Amino acid sequence: MSRWLSLLLFAVQAVGGYEAGEELSCKRRHGGIPLPLGVFTVQKEGFPDALPAIRTALSHVHSRSCILQGYRLEMIVKDTHCKTSQGMKALFDLIASRPRPVAILGGQCTEVNEPIAMALKYWQIVQLSYAETHAKFASSDSHELFTTFFRVVPGSRNTNMAKCKFVNHFGWKRVGTVKQNDQPRYALPHEALTTRLEHGFGVKIVHTAGVNWEQIETVGGELDELKERDVRIILVDVDEEMAATVLCAGYHRGMYGDNYVWILPGYHSDKWLNQTHDNCTVEEMREAAKNHFSVEFALTRRDVDTKIVGNTRAGDVWNEITQLDPNNTWRGYLYDGLWTLAIALSHSMGDNAEFSHHKMMEAIDNSSFQGLTGKVKFANNERLGLVDIKQWSDGQYVPFAVYDGADDEFKIIDSTTKGWSPPLDSTITERRREHISSILFLAMSLLALIGIFLALIFLLINFRYRNHRFIKMSSPNLNNIIIAGSICTFASVIMLGLDTRIVSPDVFVWLCYTKTWTLCIGFTLSFGAMFSKTWRVHSIFTNIRMDRKAIKDSKLFIILGILLFIDICVLVTWAFVSPFSYTVTELPHIPEDNIVIIPEVEKCNSSHSGVFQAVLYAVKGVLMILGCFLAWETRHVNVPALNDSKYIGTSVYCCVVMSVLGLSTSVILQERVNEMFSLASFFVIFSTTLTLCLVFVPKVIELARNPVGNEPRAYRRGLMKSVVAKTSQPMSPQPRSDSSGDLIGKAESENKLRRRYLHQKSTQLWDLVEKLRAQGDTRFLQQEWCLSSASPSSQERETSLLLRQPSSSNNREETSLTAAGPNGERSSDWPWVDPDEPSTKL
């Protein structure tokens, strides 16, 4: 009965482990039945000695636990020399020995473990490796090839999961990888890593760079590809020498620093970082490796006060085996490996001391106890253990995070190590819709509304005083057209600032048509009316024969109608051939640290808009050139009878300059919506307002000065003064010529000059007479030479004949100049018309 109670206690201790404070109470036996245990070691320089840790563990199993009561483990040590041949010889020696070993602990080299593990399944002997980490033992067919093979050290399954948890913890969704193709130890786990990242954690593998020693020169090109694809998080699975090569290449490409994270395999050594590379110095290597991470299995558990198997503090056991062999990386796994086999053997021994191979494998798979390297637990012959994630900082590796595969827990130890903060996994692309500033839009709209209100005031004044002499002589109908065109241009400013924040995309397309038509037709109405009035002034004052040239408003309306017809034809054709559509155009990207801003501009797109714009610009350009020419030709005209001729010319100049500047700035600044809108609106508002003020402010001033419009003399005097000032300049000397044509031309020129001079003197005389009449002095008017109806003197007849002489150049009779005499009757000798009836045909 006592034996069964002891076995039950062993089972509970083996499965559940030993908790803190638990005391052992089992009856010891000296000696016991020997259980042979094979141990594969490598006894040569460069390999750690496994025996000190194994002996310590064996001593603790026998002295600090009740398992294997009545049995005693005896080690059969075999040196494999890390060679396949020596390993197979050691295996055969163990198989041939009697009694045959119940299990084998070891070995360390993959080239020895692989053939031994494949062979042991036929002898049904369990092998537990303390140092094997190759991924081939965790492949899909490993359970079939290596049926009895276990490893107590965490393999690639644990490190891959730790990397996935690490990437997922910081929310990185884009990573790049580097794998060493010519090393299955790194290539195989890398494939499993990328699959788990993509399908288990939703992380996109942007690019996998393959490197190998045969094509070492391609490392730089692979990193260039990663950089071009904006990869910031890079997981690397390569050996130590290749890792140095990769980091050196990354240094020369600027792939280091706070914006990059390199996650490398852990080598439990930092010697590779302190060596001079072919292309990098030690300082450059350290700079390239700054803040990189290494992922490696943990050497021991961090909670040193935890009671582990054998009811002993983990820290005490670790110090004990470290004193024996401080350079042995595997000392913790040697200790836990022996305890794993001991506990499994206690479950596999039958009542008659018969060993069961299947029970032992099942016991290992179901193991669960607290060991020196963490909780010992297996799944599919794989140890689920601790994985350390360390960060290189200030020339050493600092613990950063830990992953416990047994409980599937990931924990950050210190997430702010040396002020490090996780970077973005890629450059963030921020699409920023560029809209016109609300304040700017409101300000320009307010100015445009003020302009519209001002135009309406001028329209009211023009309509109210349309019969006033001063306004009537400036063609009020054309002035109304100028006002209508100005209102359209002001309205186009408001429509230019509307976007999809206020209207829908469909309405925005119609708005594109509206503002295009409004601005185009408004310009034509305003500038076309001013152009036609300037043309009329030019036509009158370039009539060298001083005819009475009647140019009615109807002719000017015809010119304006032709200009409008051209605009409407182009705009209608544009709307049918190439209609507008709503598009969003990307502007040049703006990089800011880890953010790339992509400005977007809303536009009305038309496939052939350039053609139609060129046609409109050409028509408007020709019109503005002609307007400038006419304004220049009539620059000296200052005729109150044509009271706005000079101001119209100034307005033409202003419109031309503002239109050229507005067009050029709109083309140059089309990607800067605020600047383009502000300048375009300013040019439109300024030129339109200036035109309205130049045309109508003088009229308002005249209305304030002379509301009735009863000062006709001023209009007539200004007219004659302008005519004489323009034509009374001395003629330039002509070269002498004996031809009759030259003589005739010279005579005609002199004749015209004298006629104009006579006009001037006649006007002056009429002014003097009018002054005398106004003063009531009739004595002068009653003189015989003034009132006599006698025949004129010979000199007067000569002058009268000179005035009535037809021109020889056009063979038609000049219109006789008649005027009213002092008493009101008509006198054929008076050289001018009655100034009380000024001509409105100009």
Side-chain angles (χ1 to χ4, degrees), residues 272-339:
W272 62 279
L273 284 171
N274 299 320
Q275 298 178 356
T276 302
H277 194 267
D278 293 341
N279 299 321
C280 294
T281 63
V282 175
E283 291 74 15
E284 291 174 342
M285 284 297 300
R286 290 181 177 177
E287 184 66 23
K290 185 178 180 181
N291 290 332
H292 83 272
F293 293 90
S294 68
V295 182
E296 59 190 16
F297 58 84
L299 298 181
T300 185
R301 65 191 309 150
R302 295 185 58 82
D303 47 338
V304 295
D305 293 331
T306 301
K307 290 294 185 67
I308 63 173
V309 63
N311 199 27
T312 310
R313 285 182 67 254
D316 296 336
V317 176
W318 179 256
N319 292 334
E320 182 179 352
I321 62 176
T322 299
Q323 290 177 358
L324 297 175
D325 189 0
N327 297 323
N328 190 346
T329 304
W330 317 103
R331 56 189 182 274
Y333 294 98
L334 286 165
Y335 185 88
D336 286 348
L338 187 64
W339 271 99

Side-chain angles (χ1 to χ4, degrees), residues 79 99 108 140 191 197 259 358 383 482 570 624 716 787:
D79 186 2
Q108 185 173 345
S140 58
E191 296 295 334
L197 279 173
N259 292 331
H358 295 287
R383 165 73 186 277
I482 294 176
V570 175
M624 288 190 294
R716 176 189 50 75
L787 299 176

Side-chain angles (χ1 to χ4, degrees), residues 361-419:
M361 292 184 60
E362 183 179 353
I364 294 177
D365 271 333
N366 294 328
S367 296
S368 179
F369 64 90
Q370 297 294 335
L372 187 60
T373 58
K375 186 176 182 179
V376 179
K377 188 176 181 179
F378 291 84
N380 297 325
N381 297 21
E382 280 280 310
R383 165 73 186 277
L384 303 179
L386 297 176
V387 177
D388 284 338
I389 299 177
K390 299 180 179 180
Q391 186 179 36
W392 181 260
S393 178
D394 294 335
Q396 62 180 351
Y397 281 111
V398 179
F400 187 89
V402 61
Y403 171 71
D404 187 355
D407 297 327
D408 193 24
E409 293 181 353
F410 180 84
K411 180 182 179 181
I412 296 293
I413 298 173
D414 187 2
S415 59
T416 58
T417 304
K418 301 300 180 181

